Amino acid sequence: INYTLKALATSAIVLASVSVAQADVTLRGASMFDEDHSFTQTLREFERLVAEKYDGDVSFDLRLNGELGVESDYVTYLNQGVAVDYTILAPSNMAVFSESIPLMDMPFLFRDLEHWDAVLSSDAFAPLEADLREAAGIVIVGYHGGGVRNLASAEPITSMEELAGHRMRVMGAPIQAQTFDAVGAAPSAIAYNEVYNAIQTGVIAGFENEAASIQNLKFYEVAPHISLTQHTITVRPIVMSAATFDALPADLQDAIVMAGAEAGAFGRALESGADGEILQEMEAAGQIVIHDFEGREQMLELVQPIQDDYAESLGATELLMNVRGM
Ligand code: MAV
């Protein structure tokens, strides 16, 4: 008996030391896409950079293809500090927790890529980040983005007349619905993982999205008509749960913050550079038909007062003016 106990004790010690070694830190990430999408590639780069900059042991468990749900699910997990530690997501999907964060994601906020780059390289969004941490328990560690969002629909939408009453899906933030309402469309907030079906069954006639995601999730199968409204250049923060972040050793936190900034720059170059190419790829493959859209200027005019009102309601008029003036 003694002998057995001793053997058991020895194996217990071995097991314990193994699990100590493994338990160092494992962070779980989530992506709605496969390895090819720029979100996943940027998260991989983030992981590589964190490991490179941190002296201790850290490992990553990134779940792909929407295994852990869609971004609106991740937001809840991040807020609760369960299931997901890090991801990339649209500010408009965090509106439930922070009313102000979708401002950085408003259609027609940026004039062009140069303006977008200038704003993201500044600290113009710092007050929004602070509110997100406080209200949602979510920490922004870097900025991915750079995709251009266009209308994608079952039938061509080429003018303000065709846009009138167009039943389209928008992201969950009220400012998104208000924007498309102002230009005459009939927007409704639908979960991202229901969009394909909703278009296929005719519940809606289309939605709006960037090339990378239309390609990766094969939305062109149901919404092959792309109208070049170019209404949004995306801002997609790399985020962490504050509950997770705050519990990490200080040197790992430092590594994460540095890695976030670098991975963001990597990802922005990647997605903004590939956007036009991906549209061409899909067109060449006969998956989409690209249409010009007449009326972008008019859209812009109709949307600006909506942006002004939204910013005013948040006490963020100065912030908006600052961004527009950059
Ligand atoms: C695209 O897949 C991405 O911009 C993602 O961040 C958004 O959540 C998604 O679109 C969407 O429209 O919900």
Side-chain angles (χ1 to χ4, degrees), residues 194-270:
E194 286 165 18
V195 171
Y196 187 105
N197 238 324
I199 299 174
Q200 196 171 39
T201 57
V203 170
I204 47 172
F207 73 132
E208 46 91 43
N209 230 255
E210 59 268 37
S213 303
I214 293 172
Q215 184 181 51
N216 204 268
L217 298 180
K218 300 191 166 54
F219 281 115
Y220 52 76
E221 292 173 352
V222 292
H225 294 281
I226 307 295
S227 315
L228 297 179
T229 44
Q230 303 182 319
H231 52 270
T232 305
I233 303 177
T234 63
V235 171
R236 293 291 178 267
I238 306 173
V239 293
M240 274 200 86
S241 161
T244 304
F245 185 85
D246 291 343
L248 297 175
D251 51 346
L252 180 51
Q253 291 178 347
D254 291 346
I256 286 173
V257 169
M258 282 189 289
E262 284 179 39
F266 162 90
R268 295 201 303 274
L270 180 71

Side-chain angles (χ1 to χ4, degrees), residues 33 39 71 90 93 149 169 171 192 209-210 213 236:
F33 310 100
F39 281 26
E71 289 178 11
N93 286 322
R149 284 170 84 101
R169 175 268 183 180
M171 290 188 282
Y192 198 52
N209 230 255
E210 59 268 37
S213 303
R236 293 291 178 267

